[in-house]
Amino acid sequence: MERRDIEIFLTLAEELHFARTAERLGVSGARVSQTIKQLERRFGVALFQRTSRQVALTPVGSALREDVQAGYQRIQEGIAKAVAAGRGFSGVLRVGFSSPLVGEAIMAAAEVFRARHPECEVRIREVHLSDAFGALRAGELDMQITELPVREADLSSGPVLLRDEPMLAVSSRHPFARRDSVTVEDLTRDTVLAPTGAPAYLLDALIPARAPSGRPIQRTQATTSRQELLTLVSGGAGMAVVGAQATRYHARPDIVYVPIADLSPIEYGPVWPVGAQTSRVRSFVTLLRAEPDR
């Protein structure tokens, strides 16, 4: 039985009057009559006894009402709770971040959000590019702020919230460590390390497959965390494209960060499952957009 069929059946079982049932549900009397006839044909038994003066449930109709009523009530309560959660701010908002810069912005927004909505708890956790969307898809996060672009059929993404200038992380012993800047063309001169499991389209956005000359850039997906990435860079296993935030959050004596003159900034934006943009998510994104660019 479709939900509307159940509504018509249960309402008629309560009203025992076709006109009042139609008026209460905002449908035509013909719709009520057709629905009941269709149900009776489907079940092969009468659900109501009808006369010119009276409508009454048959024994089968009465039993069906008892069986359906409790389940339908639970469905209605579940729907009401879901609607309330989507419209309100009570409960928990779980937010993921993929870099220290993003984490700092989220912490600042969370402080304001908690002050405005003390009935809503904000929980924050880190997300690694090696499993960029696993937590979202598992229902462990309501949203995350991560590197853009995001091109996943089951995920929606919002506007750019943060930008970070790209830099090349190299070992302090690397020839580029003495340079004031490098270009994308320079990336062809050594292996460029990247996170294992990062989507191909995101990898292409962060690290071009080819330099302007057409020469290929050797990209190797060999790391699962930032600390592992920087350790490999320090050991001379290759270079890494990172954001300028690394100079602040990951300063190390064995690594030098060199600006990349002709590479576009790394962009970050919100991502959430399709159809799951609740009021809490919208409000949090609005607070992040109000933050000045970092």
Side-chain angles (χ1 to χ4, degrees):
M1 294 173 69
E2 299 292 334
R3 180 183 172 188
R4 196 56 167 168
D5 295 344
I6 295 174
E7 289 177 340
I8 290 174
F9 168 74
L10 290 177
T11 304
L12 182 59
E14 180 180 341
E15 295 286 350
L16 296 177
H17 194 284
F18 280 81
R20 287 198 299 268
T21 296
E23 182 178 356
R24 180 170 157 184
L25 295 177
V27 299
S28 67
R31 171 70 185 277
V32 175
S33 180
Q34 290 168 3
T35 297
I36 298 303
K37 288 179 180 178
Q38 288 171 357
L39 291 176
E40 290 177 330
R41 283 198 298 269
R42 185 186 308 169
F43 299 148
V45 64
L47 301 175
F48 293 90
Q49 293 175 341
R50 310 165 183 78
T51 68
S52 59
R53 297 182 179 180
Q54 182 179 342
V55 177
L57 282 163
T58 65
V60 173
S62 182
L64 180 62
R65 178 189 182 184
E66 297 237 355
D67 291 338
V68 169
Q69 183 73 56
Y72 180 70
Q73 184 63 33
R74 287 195 294 271
I75 291 172
Q76 291 295 89
E77 290 172 354
I79 292 172
K81 287 179 181 178
V83 171
R87 291 177 177 173
F89 289 89
S90 61
V92 178
L93 177 64
R94 302 161 301 172
V95 186
F97 68 94
S98 62
S99 76
L101 177 69
V102 171
E104 185 177 288
I106 288 175
M107 289 295 291
E111 184 176 354
V112 178
F113 186 90
R114 291 185 183 109
R116 294 183 181 180
H117 309 290
E119 72 278 19
C120 184
E121 179 185 356
V122 181
R123 297 177 186 170
I124 301 170
R125 61 174 279 186
E126 185 177 6
V127 174
H128 295 289
L129 282 181
S130 57
D131 186 19
F133 310 118
L136 271 181
R137 287 176 169 143
E140 298 169 3
L141 290 174
D142 299 301
M143 64 175 293
Q144 68 187 52
I145 312 301
T146 193
E147 288 81 357
L148 297 177
V150 172
R151 300 173 186 145
E152 305 290 325
D154 59 334
L155 300 177
S156 297
S157 58
V160 174
L161 298 175
L162 299 167
R163 292 182 174 85
D164 198 14
E165 294 301 321
M167 304 194 82
L168 188 66
V170 297
S171 165
S172 58
R173 302 182 303 276
H174 196 282
F176 289 168
R178 297 182 292 275
R179 299 269 294 270
D180 292 330
S181 66
V182 295
T183 66
V184 173
E185 201 67 45
D186 290 322
L187 301 185
T188 65
R189 297 170 60 182
D190 199 353
T191 299
V192 180
L193 304 174
T196 299
Y201 63 81
L202 179 58
L203 184 63
D204 288 340
L206 299 176
I207 308 169
R210 294 184 176 275
S213 66
R215 295 176 61 192
I217 294 174
Q218 183 181 348
R219 306 177 302 184
T220 300
Q221 292 181 270
T223 66
T224 59
S225 70
R226 277 183 170 76
Q227 292 305 322
E228 183 179 355
L229 177 70
L230 296 178
T231 298
L232 290 175
V233 169
S234 172
M239 314 178 293
V241 175
V242 298
Q245 62 184 290
T247 63
R248 175 181 175 186
Y249 298 106
H250 299 298
R252 295 174 48 155
D254 54 349
I255 290 179
V256 175
Y257 298 105
V258 186
I260 304 174
D262 55 348
L263 194 60
S264 299
I266 301 170
E267 298 181 331
Y268 295 87
V271 182
W272 58 87
V274 169
Q277 190 189 36
T278 64
S279 295
R280 294 189 292 270
V281 169
R282 287 192 294 271
S283 179
F284 202 84
V285 171
T286 298
L287 287 176
L288 285 166
R289 294 188 72 176
E291 291 289 316
D293 288 343
R294 297 170 184 266

